[in-house]
Amino acid sequence: MSSTNSYEHLLPPSWKAQITAWLAEDTPSFDYGGYVVGEVEREAFLLGKGKQTAVLAGSPFVTEIFAQLGCSVEWHVREGDTFEPVKHIATVRGKARFLLLGERIALNLLARCSGIATRSKRIKDLARGYGFTGTVAGTRKTTPGLRKGFRLVEKYGMIVGGIDPHRHDLSSMIMLKDNHIWSSGSITAAIKQAREVGGFSLLLDVEVQSEAEADEAIAAGADIIMLDNIEGEELVRVSRALKEKWRGQRKFLFETSGNITEDNLQERAINDIDILSTSVVHQSVQHIDFSLKIQKPTA
């Protein structure tokens, strides 16, 4: 990231309203704990814990959570940087009851977002170590509805971790999968109908199950051909054969996806493929452990 840019600048105008909604959801009526601690001014240390090197992701959200509660956050680790536990990540200052109102929302969000960024960086680093020079991407298998706006946090974590977030929703790219194709009658028919309404500005990604289907998708004008669950020698053979067949006639990218894990990443991270997309960077990801500790006042 350039020194003049900030990941926060990617976020849409609605993101701060979403944080307001999270705060409202977390305290729907009385704040009993807040009554106990009152409004004495306190300082709290945000600590990065756990047992692994981690990537910090989600700091703009945390800053806004506490800002809406009248608290300030001083960051000691930059967004996107790695840190070794236990690390003093930030210092939060404000009235005790407001520090505690924001605590759990901030920690949960930071744990999830940093976990995704950490795994994203690990997968990309492994792929590069295997010599893969193409695009490493996540998938759209992110969390809908659960705490409105959380999908945005997950996609943001992928970007901070250094990978492509893939499409964000059904409107951001046309993807035709097996159900679309079966319902339309053929790959060619599905692509034709999609082009008629999608126009020139949207890429068209088509999922195929075989070399013959991939060949049909290329002939029909797909921009990206997802070789779904095609692995090993077959993946290499199909991609090389079709790139040679269509050389100079069509421009397209090959994407490999489906059942990609750290254990089989090496056999899928081949440079005959342009895009490697996997949900392993955001599904069942280990969260990064953070805690917020209010400091005892000095005598």
Side-chain angles (χ1 to χ4, degrees), residues 14 23 39 43 52 55 97 114-115 117 122 129 144 154 193 288:
S14 61
L23 288 166
E39 294 194 343
E43 184 174 83
Q52 63 171 315
V55 176
R97 74 182 184 94
S114 296
R122 175 170 172 76
E154 294 173 335
Q193 293 176 67
I288 305 303

Side-chain angles (χ1 to χ4, degrees), residues 277-297:
S277 60
T278 173
S279 60
V280 76
V281 298
H282 49 88
Q283 287 192 324
S284 302
V285 164
Q286 179 180 346
H287 289 192
I288 305 303
D289 187 15
F290 293 92
S291 67
L292 188 71
K293 297 297 183 184
I294 293 181
Q295 302 303 293
K296 293 181 180 179

Side-chain angles (χ1 to χ4, degrees), residues 84-109:
E84 298 287 341
V86 173
K87 180 71 174 178
H88 183 185
I89 299 294
T91 301
V92 189
R93 299 179 178 91
K95 295 177 180 179
R97 74 182 184 94
F98 293 122
L99 292 174
L100 296 176
L101 272 172
E103 175 188 18
R104 183 44 53 196
I105 301 171
L107 294 181
N108 286 355
L109 188 148

Side-chain angles (χ1 to χ4, degrees), residues 51-66:
K51 298 181 179 179
Q52 63 171 315
T53 301
V55 176
L56 177 67
S59 61
F61 300 101
V62 173
T63 297
E64 180 62 20
I65 287 168
F66 286 111

